[in-house]
Amino acid sequence: MNQPLTDGFGRQHTYLRVSLVEKCNLRCRYCMPEEPEWTPGHQLCTTEELLLLMDTFIKLGVTKVRLTGGEPTMRKDFTRILAWLSRQDVELSMTTNGTLIHRFIDDLKRYGLYKLNVSLDTLNPVRFEEMTRRTGFHKVLENIHLLIDEGFDVKVNAVILRGQNDDEIIDFVEWTRVMPLSVRFIEFMPFSGNKWDDDVMVPFAEIKSRIEESYAIEKIPDGPNDTTKHYRVSGFRGNFGIISSMTEHFCGSCNRIRLLANGAMKNCLFSDSETSLLEPLRRGEDVEPVIREVIARKHATHGGRFAIAGRENRSMVTIGG
Ligand code: SAM
Ligand code: SF4
């Protein structure tokens, strides 16, 4: 057995988030810059290269793989990748905007991907178009219901932005009264080209207290590496969580590694650097020492909200959340 991927703070890295594709069919303002810089096609991983890299991570102890993007379901060989992953000893999940998921229900079942985070920031169709700069609200909503009916474990991701959708926090919680899903409110994070503003970010404590003004809520236990603080309103079928990346970071228990569509590896979502694994792979070199070195130099924390806000980073659409 290989030595686990352990950093200088003793954190073992067993969770790989893979961005399958940079591009997306939505244009969420908080994620996609007005003029995105796309990687030229020949610098993106082919299917074989992506599988080789994922295989290396799995041999180095990765037990959980989350597919993300851009929009992961837009990758042409999406089902081939899914089929390969289903033969590995890993727990699978995906983050998707939900617009195309109806096309893949049978594949997801066949290949054992039952955990889906579907991003939906508003329950208002007009607002959806303002926020995503595209149509598709009704399809996403329909697909969330379809996934639940088909027995998938569904979480809805909603990034909360002051003045844009923060008046819908209660509507989202109310949704969980009858719907067996988990709504996850996410603090707005800064990335290249997303016009991040501290005043627009609604902090965890405020989201929670606004909910407490309307409901008596109870805490649900969180998992050991969880980024979400979970709660429920008693008697409701679903529950909700808050992801406090900015105001109460969870770096101490971080077990996450990111692999981008261009074969670059990031040891932290907020890291200002990334290391290509694709270049050594194409030169026929062993990527394991490179992976170990990137993990070894991971920082203890991302350094707080203002430290991150000023830092160089990619756009979120090319990292994958
Ligand atoms: N296209 C897929 C989707 O929207 O679910 C997967 C990729 S998207 C980058 C992954 C997650 O990152 C989404 O839930 C999205 O809402 C979240 N996200 C994007 N930009 C963000 C930001 N600036 N702050 C917080 N979350 C963000
Ligand atoms: Fe696309 Fe997801 Fe980014 Fe929206 S959040 S632009 S759906 S990648």
Side-chain angles (χ1 to χ4, degrees):
M1 166 75 181
N2 281 302
Q3 289 297 311
L5 289 170
T6 309
D7 69 9
F9 305 90
R11 294 172 294 194
Q12 290 194 5
H13 291 72
T14 53
Y15 184 10
L16 180 68
R17 301 171 75 110
V18 185
S19 172
L20 292 186
V21 60
E22 290 186 347
K23 296 205 173 154
C24 186
N25 54 348
L26 299 184
R27 295 281 179 279
C28 306
R29 292 175 193 277
Y30 58 73
C31 172
M32 174 99 71
E34 271 164 35
E35 293 182 19
E37 287 174 26
W38 305 120
T39 306
H42 67 278
Q43 289 172 19
L44 296 170
C45 288
T46 63
T47 314
E48 279 66 28
E49 288 166 340
L50 194 65
L51 300 186
L52 274 170
L53 291 176
M54 288 196 289
D55 186 54
T56 307
F57 279 106
I58 293 167
K59 287 193 173 111
L60 294 174
V62 161
T63 55
K64 279 173 75 176
V65 174
R66 174 174 295 273
L67 303 178
T68 177
E71 175 45 40
T73 56
M74 286 183 70
R75 187 165 170 130
K76 286 196 183 64
D77 51 11
F78 173 66
T79 44
R80 190 175 153 206
I81 292 169
L82 213 53
W84 182 86
L85 280 166
S86 73
R87 296 192 293 275
Q88 316 306 312
D89 190 13
V90 287
E91 183 189 317
L92 280 180
S93 59
M94 176 162 71
T95 306
T96 171
N97 64 29
T99 52
L100 306 172
I101 209 74
H102 53 288
R103 299 183 189 165
F104 298 101
I105 298 291
D106 290 342
D107 290 319
L108 296 174
K109 285 184 176 175
R110 185 175 305 123
Y111 300 124
L113 198 167
Y114 276 91
K115 291 184 168 196
L116 287 131
N117 289 25
V118 182
S119 302
L120 181 66
D121 305 304
T122 175
L123 298 171
N124 173 330
V126 176
R127 206 174 257 185
F128 180 92
E129 285 190 33
E130 283 164 12
M131 294 182 80
T132 67
R133 294 178 274 188
R134 289 291 182 274
T135 56
F137 172 79
H138 294 289
K139 194 74 220 169
V140 176
L141 203 60
E142 197 180 297
N143 280 347
I144 290 174
H145 284 102
L146 174 68
L147 287 168
I148 290 172
D149 291 347
E150 294 286 341
F152 289 87
D153 173 358
V154 180
K155 298 191 170 79
V156 170
N157 284 3
V159 179
I160 300 301
L161 306 167
R162 195 179 307 284
Q164 293 179 48
N165 64 350
D166 60 323
D167 57 346
E168 294 189 59
I169 294 173
I170 297 303
D171 298 342
F172 273 110
V173 176
E174 192 52 37
W175 208 24
T176 69
R177 182 187 290 272
V178 288
M179 290 285 280
L181 54 72
S182 179
V183 173
R184 290 140 45 99
F185 299 108
I186 305 177
E187 287 180 346
F188 180 32
M189 300 182 280
F191 295 95
S192 175
N194 80 346
K195 303 195 173 114
W196 186 81
D197 183 338
D198 196 44
D199 294 337
V200 177
M201 184 198 64
V202 185
F204 155 71
E206 184 180 336
I207 297 174
K208 181 164 170 273
S209 70
R210 287 219 222 164
I211 297 170
E212 283 171 324
E213 280 167 20
S214 299
Y215 303 101
I217 63 173
E218 58 193 50
K219 184 82 191 74
I220 316 177
D222 307 320
N225 302 103
D226 242 326
T227 57
T228 309
K229 297 175 176 70
H230 297 89
Y231 303 88
R232 76 159 74 243
V233 180
S234 39
F236 281 20
R237 275 187 89 188
N239 58 62
F240 69 91
I242 309 174
I243 305 186
S244 57
S245 327
M246 300 299 291
T247 59
E248 281 188 31
H249 68 71
F250 25 75
C251 306
S253 60
C254 181
N255 64 345
R256 291 175 292 282
I257 312 166
R258 290 183 161 78
L259 178 62
L260 312 190
N262 66 355
M265 175 181 169
K266 273 173 99 73
N267 63 14
C268 171
L269 179 58
F270 297 111
S271 161
D272 51 9
S273 70
E274 58 191 45
T275 303
S276 177
L277 301 180
L278 187 57
E279 286 167 15
L281 185 76
R282 285 187 177 172
R283 289 194 298 267
E285 294 166 14
D286 184 5
V287 295
E288 181 184 328
V290 186
I291 294 173
R292 288 199 182 280
E293 192 271 321
V294 174
I295 295 292
R297 69 175 137 88
K298 180 161 171 158
H299 292 291
T301 69
H302 59 51
R305 66 211 256 199
F306 294 108
I308 316 164
R311 207 175 276 175
E312 280 294 307
N313 199 349
R314 287 172 157 269
S315 60
M316 180 62 136
V317 71
T318 60
I319 305 176

